[in-house]
Amino acid sequence: MFFVFKPEATDNQRERLLAELREQDMTALAVAGNGSRAFALVGPNSAMEKLALDRHPLIEEVVREKAPYKRASRGLHPDDTLVKLGGVAVGADRFVVIAGPCAVESAVQIDAAAAAVAAAGAHALRGGAYKPRTSPYSFQGRGPEALRLLAATSERYGLPVVTEILDAADLPGFMQCAAALQIGARNMQNYTLLRAAGKSGMPVVLKRGLSATLEELLLSAEYILNEGNNNVILCERGIRTFENATRNTLDLNAVAWLKRNTHLPVLVDPSHGTGIAELVAPLAKAAAAVGADGLLIEVHPSPAEALSDGRQSLSPEAFARLMRELRPYVEASGRHL
Ligand code: PEP
Ligand code: MN
């Protein structure tokens, strides 16, 4: 349930009602972006109904909302949230493309990748320093050295950086080089990491878990929002289904559903969503057409030699072609590149 105080309610009157709610085991959460008059009420349903807030003299409006996520809901926050990635706003009219290699491998590789994606018109650079690999024997990322390379590359090409964090202890290094933290599919429900990312105040790209429902995704977002950090960008990256012709099944239902039910921006990652480079362009176009706010795409200067996710990585040429072909789909959904 959400409620909104009347504008004439004084601070004292409001404080008294909030204290009364606390005494009855209910918590009123101020809804961000809506001034301090709007609150989400969390607690036992029966107790909330008994309060009859609809008829309370200090209350202007009550909205009944069954969803367990409160701050992420469009309920009392109908306007889209914009999240700044360096100088670029995600969630506004611009369709934002974040591109780069799965992992930072070397100075030469990240420079070539950044040069290619910048020339093709990408708005931000991706690249993992710490890689969450299924096997402990696979390439794990270059760690702090990769963060240093990302910082230098970001500066050289004027591209804000999005990079995945696995451990909250590494936050200081990320704060120096990244415009946004990526929380990957495997960590979508790492609540300690979500809270730490929330406390950092940094923009967060939160990827949907391998088998997570959309409600679970929004509840994970809620952990970040609940720390007072509204800079959350969601990312659909494919889910596990019975289908094994592709690495994952890119759930474009999710985009349409999320755009209706949350005010947070939504990206699509067709690279992990399909696992097959040849399928990235068609699904990227579909993502633009269905109303996504942007894309997260893997691009490698030489995909065949990539240390991770080469099979799904676009070459610089394929990425440049995609950027040219994307425009009509982006424009059809009322945005620009
Ligand atoms: C990635 O972006 O390289 C990655 C590991 O993604 P995900 O968490 O979606 O698997
Ligand atoms: Mn990858």
Side-chain angles (χ1 to χ4, degrees), residues 62-228:
V62 169
V63 179
R64 286 188 169 68
E65 153 86 55
K66 292 227 162 48
Y69 42 86
K70 305 294 175 196
R71 301 185 195 275
S73 167
R74 273 214 195 261
L76 267 196
H77 194 304
D79 298 336
D80 289 336
T81 285
L82 309 185
V83 179
K84 280 304 226 20
L85 207 55
V88 191
V90 185
D93 290 347
R94 187 181 294 283
F95 184 79
V96 175
V97 180
I98 305 164
C102 179
V104 178
E105 298 169 4
S106 67
V108 171
Q109 175 251 15
I110 191 64
D111 182 83
V117 303
H123 309 98
L125 177 68
R126 62 149 292 150
Y130 298 85
K131 295 306 299 177
R133 304 305 300 283
T134 303
S135 164
Y137 309 118
S138 301
F139 174 60
Q140 302 286 310
R142 304 255 183 250
E145 171 60 13
L147 291 183
R148 280 192 288 276
L149 290 172
L150 282 170
T153 313
S154 167
E155 180 107 354
R156 200 171 318 127
Y157 293 95
L159 291 173
V161 162
V162 178
T163 186
E164 178 167 359
I165 184 160
L166 300 183
D167 186 337
D170 298 325
L171 256 170
F174 280 75
M175 291 174 93
Q176 280 178 17
C177 85
L181 304 171
Q182 178 174 317
I183 294 190
R186 290 154 193 80
N187 273 315
M188 188 203 85
Q189 288 181 310
N190 180 339
Y191 302 117
T192 311
L193 185 59
L194 294 172
R195 280 204 193 91
K199 288 202 176 83
S200 77
M202 286 184 71
V204 178
V205 174
L206 177 63
K207 299 187 84 175
R208 183 181 184 181
L210 307 165
S211 299
T213 65
L214 296 175
E215 184 173 295
E216 287 163 347
L217 172 62
L218 291 183
L219 283 169
S220 288
E222 200 80 9
Y223 272 87
I224 302 169
L225 300 171
N226 212 26
E227 297 296 336

Side-chain angles (χ1 to χ4, degrees), residues 3 5 11-24 28 51 53 56 58-59:
F3 66 89
F5 279 109
D11 285 353
N12 263 344
Q13 288 173 317
R14 288 166 31 152
E15 217 14 80
R16 235 175 298 136
L17 178 59
L18 295 176
E20 207 180 296
L21 295 173
R22 278 194 295 275
E23 274 164 29
Q24 297 178 53
L51 284 169
L53 284 178
H56 195 286
L58 296 177
I59 303 298

